[in-house]
Amino acid sequence: MSLLSNIVGFSLFGLAARFGQLGIQKRNLFENPGAHLISMGVFGYVGYWAYQWDQRAAVLIAQKRAEIAARRQQVAGPPSDS
């Protein structure tokens, strides 16, 4: 998933959470648009952080797999000609 779609998806979730919050309180959904923007911004930042964390985790997993493969190669030893 791309960075932009991750941020937009989390931002829209933040907007939906804000609407849900106001719906539970039975308040006007459009009375304070600034709070909607703050909610979208906070959730968008969470989306950015989640994307960066996912990218870093993929790098760490690839490094660990390479280390494991190298260790398995050492344990197995050189291939024999039989």
PDB file of all heavy atoms in Angstrom, residues 27-64:
ATOM      1  N   ARG A  27     -24.982  15.268  18.790  1.00  0.00           N
ATOM      2  CA  ARG A  27     -24.663  16.672  18.513  1.00  0.00           C
ATOM      3  C   ARG A  27     -24.611  16.888  17.009  1.00  0.00           C
ATOM      4  O   ARG A  27     -24.518  15.945  16.223  1.00  0.00           O
ATOM      5  CB  ARG A  27     -23.307  17.026  19.135  1.00  0.00           C
ATOM      6  CG  ARG A  27     -23.366  17.045  20.649  1.00  0.00           C
ATOM      7  CD  ARG A  27     -22.037  17.236  21.318  1.00  0.00           C
ATOM      8  NE  ARG A  27     -21.202  18.264  20.708  1.00  0.00           N
ATOM      9  CZ  ARG A  27     -19.895  18.360  20.912  1.00  0.00           C
ATOM     10  NH1 ARG A  27     -19.265  17.514  21.688  1.00  0.00           N
ATOM     11  NH2 ARG A  27     -19.206  19.321  20.334  1.00  0.00           N
ATOM     12  N   ASN A  28     -24.664  18.141  16.610  1.00  0.00           N
ATOM     13  CA  ASN A  28     -24.588  18.503  15.200  1.00  0.00           C
ATOM     14  C   ASN A  28     -23.230  18.079  14.646  1.00  0.00           C
ATOM     15  O   ASN A  28     -22.188  18.422  15.193  1.00  0.00           O
ATOM     16  CB  ASN A  28     -24.785  20.012  15.051  1.00  0.00           C
ATOM     17  CG  ASN A  28     -24.793  20.454  13.605  1.00  0.00           C
ATOM     18  OD1 ASN A  28     -24.747  19.644  12.688  1.00  0.00           O
ATOM     19  ND2 ASN A  28     -24.865  21.759  13.396  1.00  0.00           N
ATOM     20  N   LEU A  29     -23.231  17.354  13.541  1.00  0.00           N
ATOM     21  CA  LEU A  29     -21.991  16.842  12.966  1.00  0.00           C
ATOM     22  C   LEU A  29     -21.105  17.942  12.376  1.00  0.00           C
ATOM     23  O   LEU A  29     -19.904  17.749  12.228  1.00  0.00           O
ATOM     24  CB  LEU A  29     -22.295  15.796  11.893  1.00  0.00           C
ATOM     25  CG  LEU A  29     -22.991  14.526  12.368  1.00  0.00           C
ATOM     26  CD1 LEU A  29     -23.229  13.586  11.190  1.00  0.00           C
ATOM     27  CD2 LEU A  29     -22.192  13.829  13.444  1.00  0.00           C
ATOM     28  N   PHE A  30     -21.699  19.066  12.023  1.00  0.00           N
ATOM     29  CA  PHE A  30     -20.936  20.111  11.342  1.00  0.00           C
ATOM     30  C   PHE A  30     -20.778  21.378  12.186  1.00  0.00           C
ATOM     31  O   PHE A  30     -20.528  22.449  11.660  1.00  0.00           O
ATOM     32  CB  PHE A  30     -21.615  20.458  10.007  1.00  0.00           C
ATOM     33  CG  PHE A  30     -21.722  19.260   9.105  1.00  0.00           C
ATOM     34  CD1 PHE A  30     -22.930  18.635   8.898  1.00  0.00           C
ATOM     35  CD2 PHE A  30     -20.602  18.752   8.485  1.00  0.00           C
ATOM     36  CE1 PHE A  30     -23.033  17.526   8.083  1.00  0.00           C
ATOM     37  CE2 PHE A  30     -20.685  17.648   7.660  1.00  0.00           C
ATOM     38  CZ  PHE A  30     -21.904  17.029   7.461  1.00  0.00           C
ATOM     39  N   GLU A  31     -20.871  21.262  13.507  1.00  0.00           N
ATOM     40  CA  GLU A  31     -20.791  22.465  14.332  1.00  0.00           C
ATOM     41  C   GLU A  31     -19.360  22.952  14.538  1.00  0.00           C
ATOM     42  O   GLU A  31     -19.131  24.120  14.745  1.00  0.00           O
ATOM     43  CB  GLU A  31     -21.500  22.245  15.671  1.00  0.00           C
ATOM     44  CG  GLU A  31     -20.651  21.669  16.769  1.00  0.00           C
ATOM     45  CD  GLU A  31     -21.419  21.480  18.057  1.00  0.00           C
ATOM     46  OE1 GLU A  31     -22.626  21.192  18.012  1.00  0.00           O
ATOM     47  OE2 GLU A  31     -20.798  21.612  19.106  1.00  0.00           O
ATOM     48  N   ASN A  32     -18.353  22.066  14.502  1.00  0.00           N
ATOM     49  CA  ASN A  32     -16.974  22.465  14.756  1.00  0.00           C
ATOM     50  C   ASN A  32     -16.044  21.769  13.752  1.00  0.00           C
ATOM     51  O   ASN A  32     -15.444  20.738  14.065  1.00  0.00           O
ATOM     52  CB  ASN A  32     -16.582  22.110  16.201  1.00  0.00           C
ATOM     53  CG  ASN A  32     -15.242  22.678  16.584  1.00  0.00           C
ATOM     54  OD1 ASN A  32     -14.605  23.373  15.805  1.00  0.00           O
ATOM     55  ND2 ASN A  32     -14.799  22.373  17.794  1.00  0.00           N
ATOM     56  N   PRO A  33     -15.898  22.326  12.550  1.00  0.00           N
ATOM     57  CA  PRO A  33     -15.071  21.656  11.537  1.00  0.00           C
ATOM     58  C   PRO A  33     -13.584  21.617  11.897  1.00  0.00           C
ATOM     59  O   PRO A  33     -12.855  20.764  11.412  1.00  0.00           O
ATOM     60  CB  PRO A  33     -15.310  22.466  10.269  1.00  0.00           C
ATOM     61  CG  PRO A  33     -15.881  23.754  10.717  1.00  0.00           C
ATOM     62  CD  PRO A  33     -16.525  23.534  12.036  1.00  0.00           C
ATOM     63  N   GLY A  34     -13.129  22.514  12.755  1.00  0.00           N
ATOM     64  CA  GLY A  34     -11.728  22.489  13.162  1.00  0.00           C
ATOM     65  C   GLY A  34     -11.372  21.207  13.899  1.00  0.00           C
ATOM     66  O   GLY A  34     -10.283  20.659  13.745  1.00  0.00           O
ATOM     67  N   ALA A  35     -12.291  20.729  14.710  1.00  0.00           N
ATOM     68  CA  ALA A  35     -12.049  19.479  15.431  1.00  0.00           C
ATOM     69  C   ALA A  35     -11.982  18.297  14.471  1.00  0.00           C
ATOM     70  O   ALA A  35     -11.228  17.348  14.697  1.00  0.00           O
ATOM     71  CB  ALA A  35     -13.148  19.257  16.461  1.00  0.00           C
ATOM     72  N   HIS A  36     -12.761  18.373  13.385  1.00  0.00           N
ATOM     73  CA  HIS A  36     -12.692  17.318  12.372  1.00  0.00           C
ATOM     74  C   HIS A  36     -11.298  17.307  11.736  1.00  0.00           C
ATOM     75  O   HIS A  36     -10.721  16.237  11.520  1.00  0.00           O
ATOM     76  CB  HIS A  36     -13.738  17.522  11.284  1.00  0.00           C
ATOM     77  CG  HIS A  36     -15.157  17.483  11.764  1.00  0.00           C
ATOM     78  ND1 HIS A  36     -15.582  16.697  12.805  1.00  0.00           N
ATOM     79  CD2 HIS A  36     -16.247  18.135  11.320  1.00  0.00           C
ATOM     80  CE1 HIS A  36     -16.871  16.862  12.985  1.00  0.00           C
ATOM     81  NE2 HIS A  36     -17.312  17.745  12.084  1.00  0.00           N
ATOM     82  N   LEU A  37     -10.781  18.472  11.444  1.00  0.00           N
ATOM     83  CA  LEU A  37      -9.450  18.550  10.834  1.00  0.00           C
ATOM     84  C   LEU A  37      -8.366  18.051  11.783  1.00  0.00           C
ATOM     85  O   LEU A  37      -7.420  17.374  11.349  1.00  0.00           O
ATOM     86  CB  LEU A  37      -9.161  19.988  10.395  1.00  0.00           C
ATOM     87  CG  LEU A  37     -10.030  20.528   9.269  1.00  0.00           C
ATOM     88  CD1 LEU A  37      -9.701  21.988   8.999  1.00  0.00           C
ATOM     89  CD2 LEU A  37      -9.839  19.705   8.012  1.00  0.00           C
ATOM     90  N   ILE A  38      -8.503  18.381  13.053  1.00  0.00           N
ATOM     91  CA  ILE A  38      -7.524  17.901  14.035  1.00  0.00           C
ATOM     92  C   ILE A  38      -7.576  16.379  14.124  1.00  0.00           C
ATOM     93  O   ILE A  38      -6.537  15.704  14.117  1.00  0.00           O
ATOM     94  CB  ILE A  38      -7.777  18.544  15.419  1.00  0.00           C
ATOM     95  CG1 ILE A  38      -7.425  20.031  15.365  1.00  0.00           C
ATOM     96  CG2 ILE A  38      -6.981  17.827  16.507  1.00  0.00           C
ATOM     97  CD1 ILE A  38      -7.832  20.798  16.597  1.00  0.00           C
ATOM     98  N   SER A  39      -8.767  15.825  14.172  1.00  0.00           N
ATOM     99  CA  SER A  39      -8.921  14.378  14.237  1.00  0.00           C
ATOM    100  C   SER A  39      -8.331  13.713  12.995  1.00  0.00           C
ATOM    101  O   SER A  39      -7.618  12.707  13.091  1.00  0.00           O
ATOM    102  CB  SER A  39     -10.390  14.015  14.380  1.00  0.00           C
ATOM    103  OG  SER A  39     -10.572  12.625  14.406  1.00  0.00           O
ATOM    104  N   MET A  40      -8.611  14.289  11.833  1.00  0.00           N
ATOM    105  CA  MET A  40      -8.060  13.731  10.593  1.00  0.00           C
ATOM    106  C   MET A  40      -6.535  13.841  10.573  1.00  0.00           C
ATOM    107  O   MET A  40      -5.846  12.932  10.115  1.00  0.00           O
ATOM    108  CB  MET A  40      -8.666  14.443   9.387  1.00  0.00           C
ATOM    109  CG  MET A  40     -10.118  14.117   9.157  1.00  0.00           C
ATOM    110  SD  MET A  40     -10.837  15.036   7.795  1.00  0.00           S
ATOM    111  CE  MET A  40     -10.032  14.242   6.410  1.00  0.00           C
ATOM    112  N   GLY A  41      -6.011  14.946  11.076  1.00  0.00           N
ATOM    113  CA  GLY A  41      -4.562  15.127  11.115  1.00  0.00           C
ATOM    114  C   GLY A  41      -3.879  14.132  12.028  1.00  0.00           C
ATOM    115  O   GLY A  41      -2.843  13.553  11.688  1.00  0.00           O
ATOM    116  N   VAL A  42      -4.468  13.918  13.194  1.00  0.00           N
ATOM    117  CA  VAL A  42      -3.881  12.974  14.150  1.00  0.00           C
ATOM    118  C   VAL A  42      -3.913  11.557  13.580  1.00  0.00           C
ATOM    119  O   VAL A  42      -2.909  10.839  13.616  1.00  0.00           O
ATOM    120  CB  VAL A  42      -4.626  13.042  15.508  1.00  0.00           C
ATOM    121  CG1 VAL A  42      -4.229  11.890  16.410  1.00  0.00           C
ATOM    122  CG2 VAL A  42      -4.344  14.373  16.177  1.00  0.00           C
ATOM    123  N   PHE A  43      -5.044  11.159  13.041  1.00  0.00           N
ATOM    124  CA  PHE A  43      -5.127   9.823  12.472  1.00  0.00           C
ATOM    125  C   PHE A  43      -4.265   9.703  11.213  1.00  0.00           C
ATOM    126  O   PHE A  43      -3.714   8.639  10.948  1.00  0.00           O
ATOM    127  CB  PHE A  43      -6.588   9.462  12.164  1.00  0.00           C
ATOM    128  CG  PHE A  43      -7.331   8.915  13.344  1.00  0.00           C
ATOM    129  CD1 PHE A  43      -7.918   9.751  14.269  1.00  0.00           C
ATOM    130  CD2 PHE A  43      -7.430   7.548  13.530  1.00  0.00           C
ATOM    131  CE1 PHE A  43      -8.601   9.254  15.356  1.00  0.00           C
ATOM    132  CE2 PHE A  43      -8.114   7.037  14.621  1.00  0.00           C
ATOM    133  CZ  PHE A  43      -8.707   7.886  15.536  1.00  0.00           C
ATOM    134  N   GLY A  44      -4.133  10.772  10.446  1.00  0.00           N
ATOM    135  CA  GLY A  44      -3.235  10.754   9.287  1.00  0.00           C
ATOM    136  C   GLY A  44      -1.791  10.552   9.699  1.00  0.00           C
ATOM    137  O   GLY A  44      -1.037   9.822   9.052  1.00  0.00           O
ATOM    138  N   TYR A  45      -1.396  11.188  10.799  1.00  0.00           N
ATOM    139  CA  TYR A  45      -0.040  10.993  11.305  1.00  0.00           C
ATOM    140  C   TYR A  45       0.166   9.556  11.764  1.00  0.00           C
ATOM    141  O   TYR A  45       1.227   8.970  11.540  1.00  0.00           O
ATOM    142  CB  TYR A  45       0.268  11.956  12.454  1.00  0.00           C
ATOM    143  CG  TYR A  45       1.646  11.748  13.009  1.00  0.00           C
ATOM    144  CD1 TYR A  45       2.763  12.146  12.291  1.00  0.00           C
ATOM    145  CD2 TYR A  45       1.842  11.119  14.229  1.00  0.00           C
ATOM    146  CE1 TYR A  45       4.039  11.932  12.778  1.00  0.00           C
ATOM    147  CE2 TYR A  45       3.102  10.898  14.729  1.00  0.00           C
ATOM    148  CZ  TYR A  45       4.207  11.308  14.000  1.00  0.00           C
ATOM    149  OH  TYR A  45       5.461  11.085  14.479  1.00  0.00           O
ATOM    150  N   VAL A  46      -0.848   8.972  12.394  1.00  0.00           N
ATOM    151  CA  VAL A  46      -0.769   7.567  12.786  1.00  0.00           C
ATOM    152  C   VAL A  46      -0.595   6.688  11.539  1.00  0.00           C
ATOM    153  O   VAL A  46       0.172   5.728  11.548  1.00  0.00           O
ATOM    154  CB  VAL A  46      -2.004   7.147  13.610  1.00  0.00           C
ATOM    155  CG1 VAL A  46      -2.054   5.641  13.813  1.00  0.00           C
ATOM    156  CG2 VAL A  46      -2.019   7.870  14.939  1.00  0.00           C
ATOM    157  N   GLY A  47      -1.294   7.038  10.465  1.00  0.00           N
ATOM    158  CA  GLY A  47      -1.140   6.300   9.211  1.00  0.00           C
ATOM    159  C   GLY A  47       0.264   6.427   8.645  1.00  0.00           C
ATOM    160  O   GLY A  47       0.835   5.455   8.144  1.00  0.00           O
ATOM    161  N   TYR A  48       0.841   7.618   8.721  1.00  0.00           N
ATOM    162  CA  TYR A  48       2.216   7.828   8.264  1.00  0.00           C
ATOM    163  C   TYR A  48       3.180   6.990   9.101  1.00  0.00           C
ATOM    164  O   TYR A  48       4.060   6.311   8.576  1.00  0.00           O
ATOM    165  CB  TYR A  48       2.581   9.312   8.360  1.00  0.00           C
ATOM    166  CG  TYR A  48       4.037   9.600   8.083  1.00  0.00           C
ATOM    167  CD1 TYR A  48       4.502   9.620   6.780  1.00  0.00           C
ATOM    168  CD2 TYR A  48       4.928   9.844   9.118  1.00  0.00           C
ATOM    169  CE1 TYR A  48       5.844   9.868   6.516  1.00  0.00           C
ATOM    170  CE2 TYR A  48       6.257  10.091   8.867  1.00  0.00           C
ATOM    171  CZ  TYR A  48       6.715  10.106   7.562  1.00  0.00           C
ATOM    172  OH  TYR A  48       8.039  10.338   7.314  1.00  0.00           O
ATOM    173  N   TRP A  49       2.991   7.016  10.421  1.00  0.00           N
ATOM    174  CA  TRP A  49       3.857   6.255  11.317  1.00  0.00           C
ATOM    175  C   TRP A  49       3.725   4.754  11.039  1.00  0.00           C
ATOM    176  O   TRP A  49       4.722   4.030  11.027  1.00  0.00           O
ATOM    177  CB  TRP A  49       3.503   6.577  12.764  1.00  0.00           C
ATOM    178  CG  TRP A  49       4.331   5.801  13.731  1.00  0.00           C
ATOM    179  CD1 TRP A  49       5.580   6.096  14.167  1.00  0.00           C
ATOM    180  CD2 TRP A  49       3.955   4.576  14.370  1.00  0.00           C
ATOM    181  NE1 TRP A  49       6.005   5.138  15.042  1.00  0.00           N
ATOM    182  CE2 TRP A  49       5.028   4.192  15.184  1.00  0.00           C
ATOM    183  CE3 TRP A  49       2.820   3.776  14.329  1.00  0.00           C
ATOM    184  CZ2 TRP A  49       5.001   3.028  15.953  1.00  0.00           C
ATOM    185  CZ3 TRP A  49       2.790   2.621  15.088  1.00  0.00           C
ATOM    186  CH2 TRP A  49       3.868   2.268  15.891  1.00  0.00           C
ATOM    187  N   ALA A  50       2.504   4.282  10.823  1.00  0.00           N
ATOM    188  CA  ALA A  50       2.284   2.860  10.549  1.00  0.00           C
ATOM    189  C   ALA A  50       2.967   2.450   9.248  1.00  0.00           C
ATOM    190  O   ALA A  50       3.549   1.362   9.157  1.00  0.00           O
ATOM    191  CB  ALA A  50       0.783   2.559  10.476  1.00  0.00           C
ATOM    192  N   TYR A  51       2.916   3.315   8.238  1.00  0.00           N
ATOM    193  CA  TYR A  51       3.584   3.015   6.966  1.00  0.00           C
ATOM    194  C   TYR A  51       5.093   2.920   7.164  1.00  0.00           C
ATOM    195  O   TYR A  51       5.736   1.987   6.675  1.00  0.00           O
ATOM    196  CB  TYR A  51       3.251   4.096   5.934  1.00  0.00           C
ATOM    197  CG  TYR A  51       3.948   3.889   4.614  1.00  0.00           C
ATOM    198  CD1 TYR A  51       3.433   3.012   3.669  1.00  0.00           C
ATOM    199  CD2 TYR A  51       5.125   4.566   4.314  1.00  0.00           C
ATOM    200  CE1 TYR A  51       4.075   2.806   2.466  1.00  0.00           C
ATOM    201  CE2 TYR A  51       5.774   4.363   3.114  1.00  0.00           C
ATOM    202  CZ  TYR A  51       5.246   3.495   2.194  1.00  0.00           C
ATOM    203  OH  TYR A  51       5.885   3.284   1.008  1.00  0.00           O
ATOM    204  N   GLN A  52       5.662   3.888   7.876  1.00  0.00           N
ATOM    205  CA  GLN A  52       7.111   3.880   8.107  1.00  0.00           C
ATOM    206  C   GLN A  52       7.522   2.654   8.920  1.00  0.00           C
ATOM    207  O   GLN A  52       8.561   2.042   8.653  1.00  0.00           O
ATOM    208  CB  GLN A  52       7.554   5.165   8.827  1.00  0.00           C
ATOM    209  CG  GLN A  52       7.353   6.417   8.014  1.00  0.00           C
ATOM    210  CD  GLN A  52       8.134   6.412   6.713  1.00  0.00           C
ATOM    211  OE1 GLN A  52       9.207   5.840   6.607  1.00  0.00           O
ATOM    212  NE2 GLN A  52       7.591   7.076   5.717  1.00  0.00           N
ATOM    213  N   TRP A  53       6.725   2.292   9.905  1.00  0.00           N
ATOM    214  CA  TRP A  53       7.017   1.124  10.719  1.00  0.00           C
ATOM    215  C   TRP A  53       6.963  -0.146   9.875  1.00  0.00           C
ATOM    216  O   TRP A  53       7.801  -1.032  10.012  1.00  0.00           O
ATOM    217  CB  TRP A  53       6.019   1.055  11.871  1.00  0.00           C
ATOM    218  CG  TRP A  53       6.234  -0.123  12.758  1.00  0.00           C
ATOM    219  CD1 TRP A  53       7.295  -0.343  13.597  1.00  0.00           C
ATOM    220  CD2 TRP A  53       5.379  -1.247  12.902  1.00  0.00           C
ATOM    221  NE1 TRP A  53       7.125  -1.547  14.247  1.00  0.00           N
ATOM    222  CE2 TRP A  53       5.961  -2.114  13.833  1.00  0.00           C
ATOM    223  CE3 TRP A  53       4.159  -1.602  12.322  1.00  0.00           C
ATOM    224  CZ2 TRP A  53       5.372  -3.310  14.208  1.00  0.00           C
ATOM    225  CZ3 TRP A  53       3.580  -2.789  12.702  1.00  0.00           C
ATOM    226  CH2 TRP A  53       4.187  -3.628  13.631  1.00  0.00           C
ATOM    227  N   ASP A  54       5.989  -0.235   8.984  1.00  0.00           N
ATOM    228  CA  ASP A  54       5.859  -1.394   8.111  1.00  0.00           C
ATOM    229  C   ASP A  54       7.068  -1.513   7.180  1.00  0.00           C
ATOM    230  O   ASP A  54       7.580  -2.617   6.966  1.00  0.00           O
ATOM    231  CB  ASP A  54       4.566  -1.289   7.308  1.00  0.00           C
ATOM    232  CG  ASP A  54       4.285  -2.529   6.498  1.00  0.00           C
ATOM    233  OD1 ASP A  54       4.458  -3.642   7.038  1.00  0.00           O
ATOM    234  OD2 ASP A  54       3.894  -2.390   5.318  1.00  0.00           O
ATOM    235  N   GLN A  55       7.523  -0.394   6.647  1.00  0.00           N
ATOM    236  CA  GLN A  55       8.696  -0.415   5.769  1.00  0.00           C
ATOM    237  C   GLN A  55       9.933  -0.854   6.535  1.00  0.00           C
ATOM    238  O   GLN A  55      10.728  -1.661   6.046  1.00  0.00           O
ATOM    239  CB  GLN A  55       8.923   0.965   5.141  1.00  0.00           C
ATOM    240  CG  GLN A  55       7.819   1.417   4.215  1.00  0.00           C
ATOM    241  CD  GLN A  55       7.637   0.474   3.050  1.00  0.00           C
ATOM    242  OE1 GLN A  55       8.592   0.095   2.386  1.00  0.00           O
ATOM    243  NE2 GLN A  55       6.403   0.066   2.820  1.00  0.00           N
ATOM    244  N   ARG A  56      10.119  -0.337   7.725  1.00  0.00           N
ATOM    245  CA  ARG A  56      11.285  -0.702   8.541  1.00  0.00           C
ATOM    246  C   ARG A  56      11.227  -2.175   8.935  1.00  0.00           C
ATOM    247  O   ARG A  56      12.237  -2.874   8.928  1.00  0.00           O
ATOM    248  CB  ARG A  56      11.348   0.196   9.781  1.00  0.00           C
ATOM    249  CG  ARG A  56      12.484  -0.108  10.706  1.00  0.00           C
ATOM    250  CD  ARG A  56      13.824   0.210  10.064  1.00  0.00           C
ATOM    251  NE  ARG A  56      14.882  -0.117  11.003  1.00  0.00           N
ATOM    252  CZ  ARG A  56      16.047  -0.616  10.653  1.00  0.00           C
ATOM    253  NH1 ARG A  56      16.340  -0.801   9.388  1.00  0.00           N
ATOM    254  NH2 ARG A  56      16.949  -0.901  11.563  1.00  0.00           N
ATOM    255  N   ALA A  57      10.041  -2.666   9.283  1.00  0.00           N
ATOM    256  CA  ALA A  57       9.882  -4.066   9.654  1.00  0.00           C
ATOM    257  C   ALA A  57      10.219  -4.976   8.474  1.00  0.00           C
ATOM    258  O   ALA A  57      10.832  -6.030   8.661  1.00  0.00           O
ATOM    259  CB  ALA A  57       8.467  -4.328  10.143  1.00  0.00           C
ATOM    260  N   ALA A  58       9.832  -4.582   7.267  1.00  0.00           N
ATOM    261  CA  ALA A  58      10.149  -5.391   6.086  1.00  0.00           C
ATOM    262  C   ALA A  58      11.660  -5.493   5.885  1.00  0.00           C
ATOM    263  O   ALA A  58      12.182  -6.564   5.546  1.00  0.00           O
ATOM    264  CB  ALA A  58       9.479  -4.797   4.850  1.00  0.00           C
ATOM    265  N   VAL A  59      12.380  -4.400   6.111  1.00  0.00           N
ATOM    266  CA  VAL A  59      13.840  -4.414   5.986  1.00  0.00           C
ATOM    267  C   VAL A  59      14.446  -5.322   7.049  1.00  0.00           C
ATOM    268  O   VAL A  59      15.343  -6.134   6.750  1.00  0.00           O
ATOM    269  CB  VAL A  59      14.407  -2.977   6.092  1.00  0.00           C
ATOM    270  CG1 VAL A  59      15.910  -2.994   6.237  1.00  0.00           C
ATOM    271  CG2 VAL A  59      13.989  -2.154   4.889  1.00  0.00           C
ATOM    272  N   LEU A  60      13.980  -5.204   8.279  1.00  0.00           N
ATOM    273  CA  LEU A  60      14.510  -6.043   9.356  1.00  0.00           C
ATOM    274  C   LEU A  60      14.240  -7.527   9.110  1.00  0.00           C
ATOM    275  O   LEU A  60      15.103  -8.375   9.358  1.00  0.00           O
ATOM    276  CB  LEU A  60      13.922  -5.614  10.699  1.00  0.00           C
ATOM    277  CG  LEU A  60      14.372  -4.253  11.221  1.00  0.00           C
ATOM    278  CD1 LEU A  60      13.607  -3.896  12.485  1.00  0.00           C
ATOM    279  CD2 LEU A  60      15.859  -4.236  11.470  1.00  0.00           C
ATOM    280  N   ILE A  61      13.065  -7.850   8.611  1.00  0.00           N
ATOM    281  CA  ILE A  61      12.734  -9.241   8.317  1.00  0.00           C
ATOM    282  C   ILE A  61      13.614  -9.778   7.193  1.00  0.00           C
ATOM    283  O   ILE A  61      14.099 -10.912   7.258  1.00  0.00           O
ATOM    284  CB  ILE A  61      11.233  -9.377   7.983  1.00  0.00           C
ATOM    285  CG1 ILE A  61      10.409  -9.172   9.248  1.00  0.00           C
ATOM    286  CG2 ILE A  61      10.930 -10.731   7.362  1.00  0.00           C
ATOM    287  CD1 ILE A  61       8.923  -9.061   9.006  1.00  0.00           C
ATOM    288  N   ALA A  62      13.855  -8.971   6.156  1.00  0.00           N
ATOM    289  CA  ALA A  62      14.719  -9.404   5.058  1.00  0.00           C
ATOM    290  C   ALA A  62      16.143  -9.650   5.554  1.00  0.00           C
ATOM    291  O   ALA A  62      16.785 -10.636   5.160  1.00  0.00           O
ATOM    292  CB  ALA A  62      14.713  -8.359   3.945  1.00  0.00           C
ATOM    293  N   GLN A  63      16.640  -8.787   6.426  1.00  0.00           N
ATOM    294  CA  GLN A  63      17.982  -8.984   6.984  1.00  0.00           C
ATOM    295  C   GLN A  63      18.036 -10.257   7.823  1.00  0.00           C
ATOM    296  O   GLN A  63      18.990 -11.031   7.727  1.00  0.00           O
ATOM    297  CB  GLN A  63      18.375  -7.786   7.853  1.00  0.00           C
ATOM    298  CG  GLN A  63      18.681  -6.540   7.086  1.00  0.00           C
ATOM    299  CD  GLN A  63      18.935  -5.350   8.001  1.00  0.00           C
ATOM    300  OE1 GLN A  63      18.694  -5.408   9.203  1.00  0.00           O
ATOM    301  NE2 GLN A  63      19.404  -4.259   7.412  1.00  0.00           N
ATOM    302  N   LYS A  64      17.033 -10.488   8.626  1.00  0.00           N
ATOM    303  CA  LYS A  64      17.013 -11.677   9.477  1.00  0.00           C
ATOM    304  C   LYS A  64      16.931 -12.945   8.637  1.00  0.00           C
ATOM    305  O   LYS A  64      17.592 -13.942   8.938  1.00  0.00           O
ATOM    306  CB  LYS A  64      15.840 -11.592  10.453  1.00  0.00           C
ATOM    307  CG  LYS A  64      15.828 -12.661  11.495  1.00  0.00           C
ATOM    308  CD  LYS A  64      17.113 -12.725  12.288  1.00  0.00           C
ATOM    309  CE  LYS A  64      17.084 -11.862  13.485  1.00  0.00           C
ATOM    310  NZ  LYS A  64      18.251 -12.050  14.357  1.00  0.00           N
TER     311      LYS A  64
END
